Amino acid sequence: MPAKRPPVPLSRERIIEAALHIADGQGLRRLTMRRLGDALQVEAMAIYHHLPRGKEALMDALAEHVTTVTVDPSGSATWQELARAWARAGRAALLEHPGVLALALTKPPQGTALIAVREQGEQLAASGLGDSTQAVRSLRAYVMGSVAVEIQRSGWAGPAGDGEEPGAPPLPGSRTESEQEAVAAFERGLEALLRGLAET
Amino acid sequence: MPAKRPPVPLSRERIIEAALHIADGQGLRRLTMRRLGDALQVEAMAIYHHLPRGKEALMDALAEHVTTVTVDPSGSATWQELARAWARAGRAALLEHPGVLALALTKPPQGTALIAVREQGEQLAASGLGDSTQAVRSLRAYVMGSVAVEIQRSGWAGPAGDGEEPGAPPLPGSRTESEQEAVAAFERGLEALLRGLAET
DNA sequence: ACCTGAACACCGTTCAAGT
DNA sequence: ACCTGAACACCGTTCAAGT
């Protein structure tokens, strides 16, 4: 018979990982302290030892996780290339965890996520972009909104928008789009915005 | 002494109105069937008679409400003016009810909201815009993302992003912005996007 | 047709207690 | 230091019952 599991100690990282798995798989509304405890083979109350502010702290941590990105500026010769890199990285991070998108779009950046936003501004300014504050804001808005549209179209939240259950068939009116169509739409809008930002 | 209230009959509209009030005032997480019943002077279970799918139906209705906008195309000579009108109307509608923004950005358009999106596409196509499908998508993304950024910066969800309690002081790092600054930022990004969309 | 009351299976969080 | 058990004040939803 298998020996009793040497209990892997709980940790912030393991908790967040399990929480993302539940949120992406069953929806945010089914992410429950008790269910999370089950997934971690632990009583729900044990979580409070690692996240003292409880579910509030968990939500903050999830938002921070999917919203923290880094870009190596040395790979980009122009501010346009740099902006593209940030936009693509941001989109990819958000798209990886559709279950917590609502948190990511709603909570102000915090901790590492806030640092990342500032870094983006500094890099763009250093790369020769004039009003980098305005540009960062428009770019962030476009990226967040694009992922929102994309998740909506994917039918992740159900075709009737049934709140939180993923996996249902897609939109009633319009077909599901392929990954390629989605990136194409994203890139075209991004290029339009970059062109517009370039003209003072 | 005041006579007993002649009970105003419950209705879908009154329910939605009360729900928006609670969500905007206390946050989505505190919007509860029981609290909603209290606000309407009725037992929570009475709501199910008007919204058979319960809380799920309520959430759908709220998303649809803040996401349904109309624009009179006769007021716009060019497709640019028309696009501006749609963008401003969309922003205003979302901004009016920060409490349900998470729903609006997450649920696919449905009912009147879906009709509105289609109408936007038809109007823009009719006004001489080439790839109106792409334009509508980019514009919607920009509008939704802009409002997300704006609500984040307003500190509506609390500075530490404390989940759902509004009314707390704003961001730790950056100042709160005035309404004028917010519209200025929105308009500048919008113009950039429109310029970019114009060049093929 | 419209609303209520009681009931059920869940929630988040506390607190004292165990190891 | 880390986790558990029991308890409390809530949830959403059902169902039979009232008017």
Side-chain angles (χ1 to χ4, degrees), chain A residues 34-121:
Chain A
R34 287 165 142 103
R35 238 187 290 264
L36 186 51
D38 281 357
L40 292 162
Q41 316 247 46
V42 110
E43 296 300 312
M45 302 76 197
I47 298 167
Y48 286 82
H49 210 267
H50 300 262
L51 292 167
R53 275 171 45 259
K55 198 167 191 188
E56 215 51 68
L58 179 62
M59 302 298 229
D60 287 352
L62 296 178
E64 190 176 334
H65 183 98
V66 297
T67 246
T68 298
V69 287
T70 321
V71 161
D72 178 6
S74 73
S76 306
T78 65
W79 67 261
Q80 281 93 341
E81 280 184 41
L82 194 54
R84 273 187 277 263
W86 277 101
R88 287 171 187 149
R91 169 176 177 271
L94 288 177
L95 231 34
E96 225 163 83
H97 296 289
V100 297
L101 181 68
L103 298 178
L105 298 192
T106 267
K107 290 190 182 272
Q110 229 190 322
T112 58
L114 182 55
I115 292 172
V117 177
R118 290 182 180 143
E119 203 180 338
Q120 186 181 1

Side-chain angles (χ1 to χ4, degrees), chain A residues 105-171:
Chain A
L105 298 192
T106 267
K107 290 190 182 272
Q110 229 190 322
T112 58
L114 182 55
I115 292 172
V117 177
R118 290 182 180 143
E119 203 180 338
Q120 186 181 1
E122 291 160 13
Q123 284 186 18
L124 284 174
S127 74
L129 178 55
D131 191 355
S132 72
T133 305
Q134 171 68 33
V136 168
R137 182 170 181 151
S138 296
L139 282 165
R140 282 188 67 222
Y142 176 72
V143 168
M144 297 197 294
S146 291
V147 175
V149 171
E150 213 166 318
I151 299 289
Q152 284 175 20
R153 297 201 50 152
S154 78
W156 186 89
D162 61 311
E164 300 290 354
E165 314 288 344
L171 282 198

